[in-house]
Amino acid sequence: MNLLRYMASAFTLLVLTGCAAVQQDVKFQSAGLENKSIVIVKSELKPAETQYTGSVGLLDYGIISAANSGLDRHLKALTFSEFDRVYSTIESNLKKHNISISYAPNILDRKTVDKIKAPKNGKNVNDLAALTGNSSANYVLLILPGHFGTTRSYYGPVPTSEPTAVSGVQIQLIDAKTNELKWYRYISSSKTIPAPWDEANYPNLTSSLYNSVNELSKLIEAELSHTAATNNKVAANPN
């Protein structure tokens, strides 16, 4: 099953990188959002898992996957209530700009999240009504969790680094009328795992992963605070 998943992921990556330009970041700007409404769409988290980088063939992948089966089982059993801080951090910061916040009635399941298409040329290409429950908000904020777990580099079946704890989230703020992206970022956090990382029940690895997830909300807070400070500086010094 892992081998088939790898093949499917590899094929998808080739298609995406070969046929479509990657959407560039769009910095958040609060100007024009005052007294507007935003509906936030939550998404179900995918199970945490191991990720392999470097020169890895299909046969190598099978060997590596078997060697990491215990770690994979451990990661899949983890839950991440800490991720809720991402929503509360965004909500509290947006409300500082007199923005009305609501939440879509349903949390997007994993299958729906996997079907969401990447933006093109700075615009959303998905059916927003289907994602928000026909909300009348001015803007839609999609929160799409990324990879949670570990990443490790290999040359063939041989590791060339120690595993690193990683987590990430993609944020898309979309104008509901024009589909234009008003904020687009993939925010990620990586943490070095103190040795030993592979002892029973993986305490050091698990703690590092939770620290990584906790840091996501702090990185978002820093980005929104920096934007607010920049906007205030420009308003105070228009010339």
Side-chain angles (χ1 to χ4, degrees), residues 24 49 128 227:
Q24 299 298 308
E49 61 181 359
L128 293 180
T227 300

Side-chain angles (χ1 to χ4, degrees), residues 49-128:
E49 61 181 359
T50 54
Q51 185 179 70
Y52 318 131
T53 63
S55 180
V56 180
L58 296 181
L59 180 58
D60 301 324
Y61 184 90
I63 296 172
I64 297 169
S65 181
N68 286 308
S69 59
L71 175 56
D72 270 321
R73 286 193 298 270
H74 174 76
L75 290 174
K76 285 181 171 61
L78 298 178
T79 58
F80 299 96
S81 59
E82 294 82 2
F83 187 77
D84 288 340
R85 295 175 188 170
V86 167
Y87 299 110
S88 59
T89 296
I90 291 176
E91 178 180 354
S92 61
N93 277 273
L94 291 180
K95 284 183 174 179
K96 294 177 183 178
H97 302 288
N98 296 319
I99 299 170
S100 173
I101 302 296
S102 62
Y103 286 88
N106 298 317
I107 296 176
L108 302 184
D109 59 31
R110 297 165 192 164
K111 290 184 178 180
T112 301
V113 171
D114 288 341
K115 292 179 181 178
I116 291 178
K117 298 177 181 178
K120 291 183 179 180
N121 301 319
K123 289 191 174 184
N124 164 69
V125 295
N126 300 280
D127 181 359
L128 293 180

Side-chain angles (χ1 to χ4, degrees), residues 49-54 68 71 75 147-154 161-167 189-191 193 205 209:
E49 61 181 359
T50 54
Q51 185 179 70
Y52 318 131
T53 63
N68 286 308
L71 175 56
L75 290 174
H147 172 230
F148 282 38
T150 63
T151 183
R152 193 178 193 186
S153 62
Y154 286 80
S161 72
E162 295 300 309
T164 300
V166 296
S167 62
S189 169
S190 62
K191 295 293 181 181
I193 303 170
L205 185 149
L209 180 52

